[in-house]
Amino acid sequence: MARTLGSVGEKTFEAIRAAGTRLIWRHGFEAMSLRRLAAEVGVQPGSLYNHFETKQALLFDIVRSHMETLTTRLDEALVGHVAPRDRLIAFAAFHSSYHMTRRMQVYVANSELRSLDPENRAAVVDLRRAYERRLEEILRAGRDAGLFRVDDLKITTFALISMMTGICEWYRPEGRLSEAELVRLHVDMVLRAVGA
Amino acid sequence: MARTLGSVGEKTFEAIRAAGTRLIWRHGFEAMSLRRLAAEVGVQPGSLYNHFETKQALLFDIVRSHMETLTTRLDEALVGHVAPRDRLIAFAAFHSSYHMTRRMQVYVANSELRSLDPENRAAVVDLRRAYERRLEEILRAGRDAGLFRVDDLKITTFALISMMTGICEWYRPEGRLSEAELVRLHVDMVLRAVGA
Amino acid sequence: MARTLGSVGEKTFEAIRAAGTRLIWRHGFEAMSLRRLAAEVGVQPGSLYNHFETKQALLFDIVRSHMETLTTRLDEALVGHVAPRDRLIAFAAFHSSYHMTRRMQVYVANSELRSLDPENRAAVVDLRRAYERRLEEILRAGRDAGLFRVDDLKITTFALISMMTGICEWYRPEGRLSEAELVRLHVDMVLRAVGA
Amino acid sequence: MARTLGSVGEKTFEAIRAAGTRLIWRHGFEAMSLRRLAAEVGVQPGSLYNHFETKQALLFDIVRSHMETLTTRLDEALVGHVAPRDRLIAFAAFHSSYHMTRRMQVYVANSELRSLDPENRAAVVDLRRAYERRLEEILRAGRDAGLFRVDDLKITTFALISMMTGICEWYRPEGRLSEAELVRLHVDMVLRAVGA
DNA sequence: TATGAATGAGGGTTCATTCAT
DNA sequence: GATGAATGAACCCTCATTCAT
């Protein structure tokens, strides 16, 4: 090995992923030109291919790594919370907070599922399902314990996630309300929505 | 609208809008090729320009006409409902129902705002704001009457709309639950979310 | 039909095929750039695609149409010749003559078989086999009549065709010998090679 | 030759020439990617440049060394043969046999003349002419001795060489006829073609 | 209205080659 | 000698759009 791992190339790759996420977020995956991406990173278009094999592979890398981080962070946020109500609060606080601070990745992961190859899409959908199942299990536990009013598990799961994910479509860091206030507002609405 | 209603080409134009909406929904606006659209309609690419001036104009036409119909239908659905709770129920029932039956138009109107020219986008954003204001006013009335628990008007408006709009990302007509059941579930969640 | 058939487009297509044949002959199929081809024809690169679907399709069109013309012309040249010796003379005269006057097409058809897609290659190989079979049948008839010395039908067929096809690698119209003289020389060698 | 014989990298260089010959034979020189070549040899693309200076130099090395070996081997095969007929038999036997066993090199040397730089091409053409002159001299001697029927020296030389070189376009080691049988068939045809 | 052929820009991708490590 | 990352040019091809017919 003539090169130290994690040196020049890794930094370039990170820059590509960051700029790629931003450009996809702003223009959509199909509308993002690799020429533009290369320009933002400061390399020639062809040099991008030292770091990914195809534009599609870059999208998959961005989306998959986001979904994996999302699930990992969620599990960390749920640690130590046992009671369904506590777990629901932890979930809602984590989800709404995470979607404020990483709204570009979140938006890309949600809106560009359609641009993924069938195979890649299937992999990402699996990760999404695993994430949603965390909420579903919390809702089930709360309902079975008579604490939550949940008429339909699947629908409620989707509805709560949609409600909070919507944040990333309008949130601006410099906005009227602080992140903490927004989190609190959403946690409260989630709790009320399931009658907790 | 560039075409006179009822003229020979009106049918072709309708076919273009329908196929265009479907293609944008499936591939995104930038990724929709006018060649493909022409093929689906059964004409040559050049012939499309007898019906619209630019690809951008077609998008605007689709989005604007959707937003106008949406608002018009909402107002029809609200007619006769006076009490805030009744009006909220009417809104939620209309919105969730409409987003099930027109999920392609809805998705396009929501996700392709970014593909609109600044001028066109401003016009559509105005229409969206007008639509959202209907809900905001309902929530304000309910809150002022001491009927709803609404901590922040804007945020609650966004949250409720997001919750219901999410339907069009997973809804399938042949799914487990009927449209009526889905509407009821969402109306109930909306009501609970504002403590009504 | 708004355009008269065989008008502008057909002329462009013919120019593309002619320039394409010349460029493939000079540089090889893979080494022929469509930019260069377009420049020689006097159109933009993208305009080429109004006339063929892919570079591969253009090659196939050139090779296939050459092979079909070759076989048709051969059959015309054989008409009226019955005796094996007469038919062999007719074949050799036609083949050597044709390979002098169309050496570009011939070279392309022979040397770019490898650049054809498997499916297209199969089609061209079939045409080639049909052409070779004409000579094989002549040799068989002459051998069976005790007129030719043919130790192996297939090998002799290949050898005679190779001998004459080689002409197109060195022939220049302005060369030392006239076309007629060259034809006579090759016909004589062919006849002697089978002891006729 | 850029490399010292017997050095460590000599084995790699041999592997490069062998894989290069095969790839050029299969895809043509222009269509052979150095990336692909590197992959077949098992090194990174950049490493190839420790063994040759440019892709063009590799082609020249392959073609020139083939032509030199060809001529050397021919001279060895002619040693001890004095009578024109014997020398012609020796030439035909050598040429047809050699073109069966080295059909990849032969094909490359014949078909990629056009890919050589003018300077390199001139050098190779000289080698080819030297090779052809061997046959030409044999034919001249036979003709002058009244043993061969040769109407035109140049044309006959080309024709006989083409006839036998054609072998490498269809020959397969596992084919119907053995190498010895094929050699005999071609020697016989050559002899008959010059009336010997 | 519709057509087919054209434009000019730009798409993703691959190329031979270089060079610090 | 080998590596991986870079270059700059070029690849085939598709794009939205125009316009004479």
Side-chain angles (χ1 to χ4, degrees):
Chain A
M1 201 140 354
R3 272 300 174 104
T4 0
L5 230 84
S7 66
V8 183
E10 193 57 35
K11 279 176 72 172
T12 306
F13 191 25
E14 256 322 304
I16 289 172
R17 286 166 37 141
T21 303
R22 182 160 30 87
L23 287 173
I24 297 172
W25 172 63
R26 252 200 267 162
H27 306 102
F29 174 71
E30 299 261 4
M32 172 193 67
S33 138
L34 292 187
R35 276 169 173 76
R36 172 89 182 263
L37 173 57
E40 302 238 343
V41 173
V43 297
Q44 295 292 323
S47 302
L48 297 175
Y49 286 81
N50 288 318
H51 303 280
F52 54 73
E53 294 209 320
T54 61
K55 195 189 178 194
Q56 168 72 210
L58 173 63
L59 175 62
F60 182 51
D61 182 276
I62 288 172
V63 173
R64 182 183 44 73
S65 70
H66 162 71
M67 286 306 304
E68 287 172 350
T69 305
L70 180 70
T71 309
T72 303
R73 292 277 194 283
L74 170 62
D75 286 340
E76 291 166 10
L78 288 177
V79 161
H81 298 281
V82 179
R85 193 172 186 277
D86 286 350
R87 287 179 72 79
L88 181 57
I89 291 171
F91 181 97
F94 165 77
H95 188 95
S96 54
S97 165
Y98 198 90
H99 281 62
M100 279 176 235
T101 52
R102 315 269 182 114
R103 64 194 208 278
M104 294 191 311
Q105 289 100 314
V106 165
Y107 189 84
V108 168
N110 284 334
S111 71
E112 295 297 354
L113 265 184
R114 101 187 126 186
S115 299
L116 286 168
D117 276 350
E119 195 180 349
N120 290 339
R121 177 160 50 240
V124 171
V125 164
D126 281 352
L127 289 166
R128 254 172 90 129
R129 294 238 168 94
Y131 182 80
E132 293 164 353
R133 211 170 304 125
R134 260 80 161 176
L135 176 55
E136 196 180 325
E137 290 312 314
I138 293 170
L139 293 176
R140 185 198 311 277
R143 184 197 61 182
D144 291 350
L147 302 167
F148 300 163
R149 169 79 192 273
V150 176
D151 293 331
D152 187 285
L153 267 180
K154 292 274 183 217
I155 303 305
T156 305
T157 301
F158 287 162
L160 296 184
I161 285 180
S162 284
M163 184 200 287
M164 294 184 289
T165 301
I167 293 172
C168 66
E169 286 185 18
W170 50 262
Y171 177 74
R172 298 292 174 269
E174 69 279 13
R176 176 170 55 94
L177 300 169
S178 73
E179 191 188 314
E181 287 168 321
L182 288 170
V183 167
R184 193 182 48 76
L185 286 170
H186 281 87
V187 168
D188 286 352
M189 281 188 288
V190 163
L191 289 175
R192 277 201 295 276
V194 298
Chain B
M1 197 138 357
R3 321 244 43 272
T4 343
L5 233 90
S7 77
V8 179
E10 188 60 28
K11 278 178 71 175
T12 305
F13 190 31
E14 258 320 306
I16 289 172
R17 285 172 27 149
T21 303
R22 184 160 28 88
L23 287 173
I24 297 173
W25 173 62
R26 252 199 267 166
H27 305 103
F29 175 71
E30 298 261 4
M32 174 194 66
S33 142
L34 291 188
R35 276 167 174 74
R36 173 88 181 262
L37 174 58
E40 300 237 344
V41 174
V43 298
Q44 295 295 321
S47 305
L48 295 176
Y49 286 81
N50 290 316
H51 300 280
F52 54 72
E53 297 209 321
T54 63
K55 194 188 178 193
Q56 169 72 210
L58 173 64
L59 174 62
F60 182 51
D61 183 276
I62 287 172
V63 173
R64 184 185 43 77
S65 71
H66 162 72
M67 286 306 303
E68 286 173 350
T69 305
L70 180 70
T71 309
T72 303
R73 292 275 196 284
L74 169 62
D75 286 341
E76 290 167 8
L78 289 177
V79 160
H81 297 281
V82 180
R85 193 173 187 275
D86 286 349
R87 286 179 72 78
L88 182 57
I89 290 171
F91 181 97
F94 165 77
H95 188 95
S96 54
S97 166
Y98 199 89
H99 281 63
M100 279 175 231
T101 51
R102 315 270 182 114
R103 62 195 211 275
M104 293 191 312
Q105 289 100 313
V106 166
Y107 189 85
V108 168
N110 284 334
S111 71
E112 295 298 354
L113 266 186
R114 90 184 136 194
S115 299
L116 285 168
D117 276 349
E119 194 180 350
N120 291 338
R121 175 160 52 240
V124 170
V125 164
D126 281 351
L127 289 167
R128 251 173 92 130
R129 293 239 169 92
Y131 182 81
E132 291 163 357
R133 210 170 305 124
R134 261 82 163 174
L135 176 56
E136 197 179 323
E137 289 314 314
I138 291 169
L139 293 176
R140 185 198 312 277
R143 184 197 62 185
D144 292 351
L147 302 167
F148 300 163
R149 168 78 191 273
V150 175
D151 294 330
D152 187 285
L153 265 181
K154 292 273 183 217
I155 303 305
T156 305
T157 301
F158 288 161
L160 296 184
I161 285 180
S162 284
M163 184 201 288
M164 292 185 289
T165 301
I167 293 173
C168 68
E169 287 185 16
W170 50 262
Y171 177 73
R172 298 289 174 271
E174 69 279 12
R176 177 170 55 93
L177 299 170
S178 74
E179 192 188 314
E181 288 168 321
L182 289 169
V183 167
R184 192 182 49 76
L185 288 169
H186 281 85
V187 168
D188 286 353
M189 282 187 288
V190 163
L191 290 174
R192 276 200 298 275
V194 298
Chain C
M1 200 140 354
R3 274 298 176 106
T4 0
L5 231 86
S7 66
V8 182
E10 193 57 34
K11 280 177 73 173
T12 306
F13 191 25
E14 256 322 305
I16 289 172
R17 287 167 33 143
T21 303
R22 183 160 30 86
L23 287 173
I24 297 173
W25 173 62
R26 254 199 266 163
H27 306 102
F29 174 71
E30 299 261 3
M32 173 193 66
S33 138
L34 292 187
R35 276 170 172 75
R36 173 87 181 266
L37 174 57
E40 302 238 343
V41 174
V43 297
Q44 295 292 324
S47 302
L48 296 175
Y49 286 82
N50 288 318
H51 303 280
F52 54 73
E53 295 208 322
T54 61
K55 195 189 179 194
Q56 168 73 209
L58 174 63
L59 174 62
F60 182 51
D61 182 276
I62 288 173
V63 174
R64 182 184 43 72
S65 71
H66 161 71
M67 286 305 304
E68 287 173 350
T69 305
L70 180 69
T71 309
T72 303
R73 292 277 195 283
L74 169 62
D75 286 341
E76 291 167 10
L78 289 176
V79 160
H81 298 280
V82 180
R85 192 171 187 279
D86 285 350
R87 287 179 72 78
L88 182 57
I89 290 171
F91 181 97
F94 165 78
H95 188 95
S96 54
S97 165
Y98 199 90
H99 281 62
M100 280 177 233
T101 52
R102 316 269 182 114
R103 63 194 208 278
M104 294 191 311
Q105 290 100 312
V106 165
Y107 189 84
V108 168
N110 283 335
S111 71
E112 295 298 354
L113 265 186
R114 97 186 130 188
S115 299
L116 285 169
D117 276 349
E119 195 179 350
N120 290 340
R121 176 160 51 240
V124 171
V125 164
D126 281 352
L127 289 167
R128 252 173 91 131
R129 294 239 167 93
Y131 183 81
E132 293 164 354
R133 210 169 306 125
R134 259 81 161 175
L135 175 55
E136 195 179 326
E137 289 312 314
I138 293 170
L139 294 176
R140 185 199 313 278
R143 183 197 62 182
D144 292 351
L147 302 167
F148 299 163
R149 169 79 192 272
V150 176
D151 293 330
D152 187 285
L153 266 181
K154 293 273 182 219
I155 303 304
T156 305
T157 301
F158 287 162
L160 297 184
I161 286 179
S162 284
M163 183 200 287
M164 293 184 288
T165 301
I167 294 172
C168 66
E169 286 184 19
W170 49 263
Y171 176 74
R172 296 293 174 269
E174 68 279 12
R176 176 171 54 95
L177 299 169
S178 72
E179 191 188 312
E181 287 168 321
L182 288 170
V183 166
R184 193 183 47 78
L185 288 170
H186 281 85
V187 168
D188 287 351
M189 281 188 288
V190 163
L191 288 176
R192 276 200 298 275
V194 298
Chain D
M1 200 139 357
R3 323 245 39 271
T4 344
L5 233 89
S7 77
V8 178
E10 189 60 29
K11 276 178 74 174
T12 305
F13 189 31
E14 257 322 305
I16 289 172
R17 285 171 28 148
T21 302
R22 184 161 27 87
L23 287 173
I24 297 172
W25 173 62
R26 253 199 266 165
H27 305 102
F29 174 70
E30 299 261 2
M32 174 194 66
S33 142
L34 291 188
R35 276 167 173 74
R36 172 90 181 262
L37 174 58
E40 300 238 344
V41 173
V43 297
Q44 294 296 320
S47 304
L48 295 175
Y49 286 81
N50 289 316
H51 301 280
F52 54 71
E53 296 207 323
T54 62
K55 194 188 177 192
Q56 169 72 210
L58 173 63
L59 175 62
F60 183 50
D61 182 277
I62 287 172
V63 174
R64 184 186 42 76
S65 72
H66 162 72
M67 285 307 302
E68 287 173 349
T69 306
L70 180 70
T71 308
T72 304
R73 292 276 195 285
L74 169 62
D75 286 340
E76 291 166 10
L78 289 177
V79 160
H81 298 281
V82 179
R85 193 173 186 277
D86 286 349
R87 287 179 71 78
L88 181 57
I89 290 172
F91 182 96
F94 165 78
H95 188 95
S96 54
S97 165
Y98 197 89
H99 281 62
M100 280 177 233
T101 52
R102 315 269 183 114
R103 63 193 210 276
M104 293 190 312
Q105 289 100 314
V106 166
Y107 189 86
V108 168
N110 284 334
S111 70
E112 294 298 352
L113 266 185
R114 93 186 132 191
S115 299
L116 286 168
D117 276 350
E119 194 180 350
N120 290 338
R121 175 159 52 241
V124 171
V125 164
D126 281 351
L127 289 166
R128 250 173 93 129
R129 292 240 169 92
Y131 182 82
E132 291 163 358
R133 210 170 306 123
R134 260 82 163 176
L135 176 56
E136 198 180 322
E137 290 312 315
I138 292 170
L139 293 176
R140 184 197 312 277
R143 184 196 61 182
D144 291 352
L147 301 167
F148 300 163
R149 169 78 192 272
V150 176
D151 294 329
D152 187 285
L153 265 181
K154 292 274 183 217
I155 303 305
T156 305
T157 301
F158 288 162
L160 296 184
I161 285 180
S162 284
M163 184 201 286
M164 292 185 290
T165 302
I167 293 173
C168 67
E169 286 185 17
W170 51 262
Y171 176 74
R172 298 289 173 271
E174 68 278 12
R176 176 170 56 94
L177 299 169
S178 73
E179 191 188 312
E181 288 169 320
L182 287 171
V183 167
R184 192 183 49 77
L185 287 169
H186 281 85
V187 168
D188 287 351
M189 282 188 288
V190 163
L191 289 175
R192 276 200 298 274
V194 298

